[in-house]
């Protein structure tokens, strides 16, 4: 039997893009990368675990902020090269800026406009930790 992880088309760096969506509203919360270990652990632990390219290590979403993403469902696209995680975002904040979603800017009239409020000051969230 083929390992389910072998069906994924990992990029040249051994990564696959992963999009986190709110499992109730469908809102896109964030995009990050996963390697094989991160995806296997996400499935095993039923929480979002990504690969931090900047830190070169596994990143358990919420390990510093407390804003854990509880996994409800994993989906793989038709080309097997993008993962979607349907999650419950604990604390209601996915973005290190203190917003619900990392996609808080809207393009309008030739410029990007911030349309979502900061729900919690990032300094209060991380208290000296480097943001996620």
């Amino acid at each position: 039997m083929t390992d389910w992880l072998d069906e994924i088309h990992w990029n040249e760096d051994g990564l696959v893009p992963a999009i986190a969506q709110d499992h109730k509203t469908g809102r896109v919360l964030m995009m990050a990368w996963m390697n094989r270990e991160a995806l296997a652990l996400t499935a095993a632990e039923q929480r979002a675990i990504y690969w931090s390219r900047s830190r070169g290590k596994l990143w358990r979403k919420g390990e510093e902020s407390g804003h854990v993403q509880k996994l409800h469902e994993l989906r793989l696209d038709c080309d097997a090269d993008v993962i979607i995680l349907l999650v419950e975002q604990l604390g209601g904040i996915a973005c290190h800026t203190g917003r619900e979603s990392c996609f808080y800017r809207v393009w309008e009239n030739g410029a990007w406009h911030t349309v979502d409020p900061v729900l919690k000051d990032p300094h209060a969230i991380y208290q000296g930790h480097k943001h996620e």
Side-chain angles (χ1 to χ4, degrees):
M1 184 172 150
T2 303
D3 187 328
W4 63 278
L5 294 164
D6 291 337
E7 295 180 44
I8 293 165
H9 294 171
W10 307 97
N11 71 12
E12 59 278 358
D13 296 320
L15 303 174
V16 66
I19 299 165
Q21 281 185 285
D22 184 287
H23 76 109
K24 287 184 181 172
T25 67
R27 178 157 191 201
V28 175
L29 300 174
M30 57 176 278
M31 178 272 170
W33 296 91
M34 289 182 158
N35 63 7
R36 190 181 185 96
E37 183 183 11
L39 184 53
L41 287 169
T42 293
E45 296 183 21
Q46 292 295 291
R47 62 173 287 188
I49 300 170
Y50 302 106
W51 176 256
S52 172
R53 295 180 302 167
S54 62
R55 291 182 279 182
K57 66 175 192 172
L58 289 175
W59 159 34
R60 284 177 162 78
K61 176 70 176 159
E63 65 189 342
E64 294 176 3
S65 66
H67 299 147
V68 171
Q69 292 176 342
K70 184 177 172 190
L71 185 66
H72 282 255
E73 186 173 82
L74 275 176
R75 288 187 174 242
L76 181 63
D77 80 324
C78 57
D79 294 324
D81 62 1
V82 179
I83 300 287
I84 287 183
L85 297 85
L86 296 173
V87 300
E88 177 185 351
Q89 178 65 64
L90 303 184
I93 296 172
C95 186
H96 77 276
T97 65
R99 292 176 173 89
E100 175 189 16
S101 169
C102 293
F103 297 93
Y104 58 86
R105 292 178 277 203
V106 173
W107 186 85
E108 192 175 324
N109 298 322
W112 293 107
H113 300 276
T114 297
V115 296
D116 291 356
V118 171
L119 302 178
K120 187 170 182 180
D121 181 340
H123 298 294
I125 295 170
Y126 296 101
Q127 299 174 355
H129 291 289
K130 184 179 178 188
H131 74 74
E132 296 186 351

